[in-house]
Amino acid sequence: MTYRRYFGELRQGNIAPVYLLFGEEDYLMDEVINVIAEQVLGTGERGFNYDHLDGEEAELDDIQSAIETLPFGSPRRLVVVKNCPYFRSGKTKKGQRERLVGLLETLPATTCIVFRTRGKVDGRQKAVKLINRKGRLWEFPRLKGRDLASWITKCLRREGAQIHRETAFYLAGIWLYGLHRLEGELKKLASYVGEKGKVEREHIQLLVDPGIKENVFHLLDAVGKRRTRRALALLNQMLIAGEPPLLLLFLLSQRLRIIGAAKALAAENASPRVIASRLKQHPFVIEKALEQGRQFNYDTIRACLRECLWADRQLKGGSLEPRLVLELLLLKITAGEGV
């Protein structure tokens, strides 16, 4: 597991002057930042020596001010910048990236700075190359398979419960989301089986709720990548869980509309925050919509919505079984029929 190497390096006291953490596992990035904070500032009161900024709201002047502030009662201070937009592909304000490179080149020895961003970063940028040379460029992909099963086992053990290896692999195989949410599900399972109790497959099937909206996100991701088998498997999982076919279709159509609207506003150079406000959606929803929008052009979105309209008519008054209607819908839009 790559992330274990990260923690091992930090706990040996090897702290770099600058970090860029990126990827999908927010939980692991949070944990890394906590360990860096312990190593830089200790476990006591952090006070004036810890600045936590939101990169979508803070200007470079704010980041520069935090970097150049001298520590108080400590040899070093820590600056964490979350949601940092400077390392992704796409447009930023003129001169911003060049100015960021200048800040990183003159980073004072009294400051450790951690940038954190979700998704991929653009490795061609000077700032990314500079961080890779001067500090650490650490990726946190979504845990899967053996790595996720191992994490599940350790988390349950920490909660005082047990799980068989095969059962841990089963849960890892059906889990689609991040570790923050999974930790909550594991605490629920541990509480259910009690101290030294053993989590079995039937407990997982009874208690673990993957959530319909998140499932629809992954379903649409599979559609955009033309992964028909994956899309059908997700559909089957949701139908077995008892999700109403009309609700699934509504959420799928709604998601496609959000992607189309976000894509159009982004083409007008609207920021994700402005798009979220205009569409009355959470910024995270818009971030994901823009990410998925790269898999769809406007003609594809319109064609998919036409197929959703066909499915809606079939579900409300057609002769086909609801499962077959949704399966045909997915076959059409993943195979590119009419798209």
Side-chain angles (χ1 to χ4, degrees), residues 104-121:
L104 293 173
E105 285 176 339
T106 58
L107 192 65
T110 53
T111 296
C112 172
I113 184 164
V114 180
F115 295 101
R116 169 185 164 171
T117 188
R118 297 196 91 252
K120 295 289 186 181
V121 298

Side-chain angles (χ1 to χ4, degrees), residues 15-19 36 40 76-79 108 110-114:
I15 304 299
V18 57
Y19 293 85
I36 292 173
V40 173
R76 298 180 78 184
R77 65 193 317 274
L78 176 65
V79 178
T110 53
T111 296
C112 172
I113 184 164
V114 180

